[in-house]
Structures are given as C-alpha cells and as structure tokens.
Amino acid sequence: MLKNNQKAKKRSERMIKLFNAFKEKELKDFPVPPFTKWANGRIIRVQYGLMELEFEVRPEMANPTNLLHGGMQCAFMDDVIGIITTTLGYEGFPISIDFHVDYLGKVKVGENVRVIGKIIREGRNIIHAIAEIYDGQGNLISMGNSNLLKTHFVPDYIKKADSLSKNK
C-alpha cells in the first residue's frame, strides 16, 4: 500500500508542476481534452485539490439574451473539477456520478469569469468536490457540487506522464 501511496504522491506532484508551468497561458495550446481546449481557460492558481481558472465569455457560449449560458457554467465547473482530480494522484480517472448547480447571477459576453474548484472529501470510492463561478467584480454567479466515482480507467495523460518519468 505504501508503494501505491508513493506513486500517487509522485503523480500528484508531477501534475501540479505541469499545471503551474501552464499558469497564465491559454490552455488551447496544451495537451488537454477537446472541450478544455475549446473553452480556452487560463490557470490562475493550482495546488493539491484546488484550482482556479479564468475564462473569457465568448458569443458561442451565450444564451439568446447574450449572457453566459447555464449549460456553459455547468461545463466550466465540471471541467475544473475534472482537472482538479488530476492533482490527487490517482491512477484511475474519477467520473462524475451527479452534479448540482445553483445559478445566482449573470455575466455578459465579453466579460471574464473565474472558476474556483476544490476537493472537499476523498472517500474510499467517492470524491466530493465543489466549484464556484465569479464575475470580474467578485460576485458569485453560480455554484455547483459533484460526487465522483473513482475508477480504474487510466487516461492517456497519465499513461504519457508515467512513460515519460520512466524514461528519465
């Protein structure tokens, strides 16, 4: 068990170091999933179980009233929570088994939002996480929480990171 904990710690440290190298840069230029590339956030802050990203609200992210679409808000929060789970060092990829969102404000196209996600609890099989979206003035726009199931599915980024560390 200790050996697995050491592997998880190394994976966690490697992912945090990688994300810190991406800080303040557009994610579209990095090896991330297609939605993350398309959303094109910028990492503001990352540490174990915590991440903050900033996104520009573009016209294709809007509802018919030119405000950030609720589905996009949910997607931003889900994406940030997914990225945060990589800092935990698990070999398998946790998948969302539920997601609850409260919509509390609005943001117009052309404005930026900050999405802050945090892991609240790591159980034996379930991880509980929260995320919040703030506008440029620091007003809370929406908040969500999710439970994620730990799996044995090893995503490509872990396979690549593990193979790179073996070659060193």
Side-chain angles (χ1 to χ4, degrees), residues 44-61:
I44 304 302
R45 175 173 51 139
V46 62
Q47 60 192 55
Y48 184 92
L50 179 91
M51 184 169 281
E52 180 176 351
L53 272 79
E54 184 174 71
F55 297 92
E56 178 186 350
V57 179
R58 303 188 311 261
E60 62 270 26
M61 298 173 173

Side-chain angles (χ1 to χ4, degrees), residues 39-41 53-57 76 80 111-115:
N40 197 28
L53 272 79
E54 184 174 71
F55 297 92
E56 178 186 350
V57 179
F76 284 166
V80 168
E111 295 179 8
N112 287 346
V113 294
R114 288 210 175 196
V115 183

Side-chain angles (χ1 to χ4, degrees), residues 153-164:
F153 172 73
V154 181
D156 291 339
Y157 68 85
I158 292 290
K159 291 176 186 173
K160 186 169 187 158
D162 285 345
S163 72
L164 289 173

Side-chain angles (χ1 to χ4, degrees), residues 126-158:
I126 304 291
I127 301 164
H128 184 76
I130 62 170
E132 299 171 330
I133 298 180
Y134 294 89
D135 66 14
Q137 290 73 48
N139 299 309
L140 183 62
I141 301 305
S142 57
M143 54 194 300
N145 63 73
S146 179
N147 288 299
L148 300 100
L149 177 67
K150 294 178 184 178
T151 71
H152 297 290
F153 172 73
V154 181
D156 291 339
Y157 68 85
I158 292 290

Side-chain angles (χ1 to χ4, degrees), residues 89-135:
Y90 301 127
E91 184 176 26
F93 185 74
I95 57 170
S96 299
I97 56 175
D98 71 1
F99 203 100
H100 176 83
V101 178
D102 291 309
Y103 300 102
L104 306 168
K106 58 188 176 192
V107 179
K108 295 179 181 175
V109 168
E111 295 179 8
N112 287 346
V113 294
R114 288 210 175 196
V115 183
I116 301 170
K118 182 179 177 183
I119 301 299
I120 300 298
R121 180 179 181 275
E122 294 178 70
R124 186 168 31 112
N125 296 310
I126 304 291
I127 301 164
H128 184 76
I130 62 170
E132 299 171 330
I133 298 180
Y134 294 89
D135 66 14

